[in-house]
Amino acid sequence: MPTTPATATNPSSSGTTPSIMLELVDENGTTIGTAEKLSAHQAPGRLHRAFSVFLFDEEGRLLLQRRALGKYHSPGVWSNTCCGHPYPGEAPFAAAARRVYEELGVSPSLLAEAGTVRYNHPDPASGLVEQEYNHLFVGMVQAPLRPDPQEVEETAFVTAQELAERHASAPFSAWFMTVLDAARPAVKELTGAAGGW
């Protein structure tokens, strides 16, 4: 049975704030245990399951989000549509759909698996490490966005050319290009050759 948010948290040592648990995995993506979210990201990092979502509009433009300034990890930088971590026992597909709704207030349509990628990206600004086995998803967004300001500072739909220009001049998450490059075959299949992805 999948773990729900209510059962995936444990009281912190102070007994006041619940901590979010992540699923630790081996190099093949097999679950080997759990760890508290912040501790899994502290150097040198512990390999854990994650997901990244790339949603496009009907014109083939990618939905980017700029992470909220209050986030403890990579605040204020641009990144893919949505990324996060399944709760222990939660299917990555279900987690991806859940977090898109929680962060952006919209349910993706035509969401499809786009492979996995393994990476290790330190974040120089925070000292945290993204040591992740990442499940990739692509899909469409066809409803108005209602972003949660606690999660998302702003959003933008961009063409491939506009992304290249923005990426050259604005800060992006350390993992962004790794996950985008890994998802490109599925992105091209979804958006077609004219999309330029």
Side-chain angles (χ1 to χ4, degrees):
M1 182 172 100
T3 306
T4 65
T7 60
T9 58
N10 294 321
S12 68
S13 57
S14 66
T16 56
T17 306
S19 58
I20 297 173
M21 302 302 289
L22 305 186
E23 197 169 88
L24 299 179
V25 299
D26 65 15
E27 294 291 338
N28 298 313
T30 303
T31 302
I32 58 172
T34 60
E36 190 275 325
K37 183 178 178 181
L38 182 57
S39 71
H41 287 88
Q42 290 172 331
R46 300 177 72 186
L47 184 59
H48 58 275
R49 196 176 307 285
F51 63 82
S52 290
V53 179
F54 297 86
L55 296 183
F56 294 82
D57 67 9
E58 292 176 349
E59 298 173 34
R61 298 180 303 168
L62 172 61
L63 173 59
L64 298 176
Q65 70 155 274
R66 189 158 76 93
R67 294 165 62 85
L69 298 176
K71 293 182 83 74
Y72 78 91
H73 193 337
S74 302
V77 301
W78 288 94
S79 199
N80 48 294
T81 307
C82 180
C83 53
H85 309 93
Y87 294 116
E90 182 182 27
F93 184 93
R98 172 179 58 80
R99 284 303 289 165
V100 168
Y101 187 80
E102 290 172 355
E103 292 189 10
L104 295 161
V106 65
S107 293
S109 56
L110 304 174
L111 192 64
E113 294 182 10
T116 59
V117 63
R118 159 58 165 115
Y119 55 79
N120 180 354
H121 285 301
D123 176 30
S126 67
L128 299 174
V129 177
E130 287 290 2
Q131 184 90 249
E132 295 187 329
Y133 187 94
N134 198 301
H135 297 256
L136 308 171
F137 299 93
V138 299
M140 303 284 292
V141 59
Q142 297 173 305
L145 303 176
R146 298 186 316 277
D148 177 352
Q150 298 295 314
E151 299 286 347
V152 180
E153 189 71 19
E154 63 181 302
T155 60
F157 283 96
V158 297
T159 64
Q161 179 60 41
E162 289 167 342
L163 173 61
E165 293 166 2
R166 187 180 294 250
H167 193 262
S169 61
F172 272 73
S173 64
W175 62 87
F176 176 75
M177 286 308 300
T178 300
V179 292
L180 176 58
D181 286 345
R184 276 188 201 276
V187 168
K188 290 176 182 177
E189 187 175 334
L190 178 72
T191 61
W197 295 100

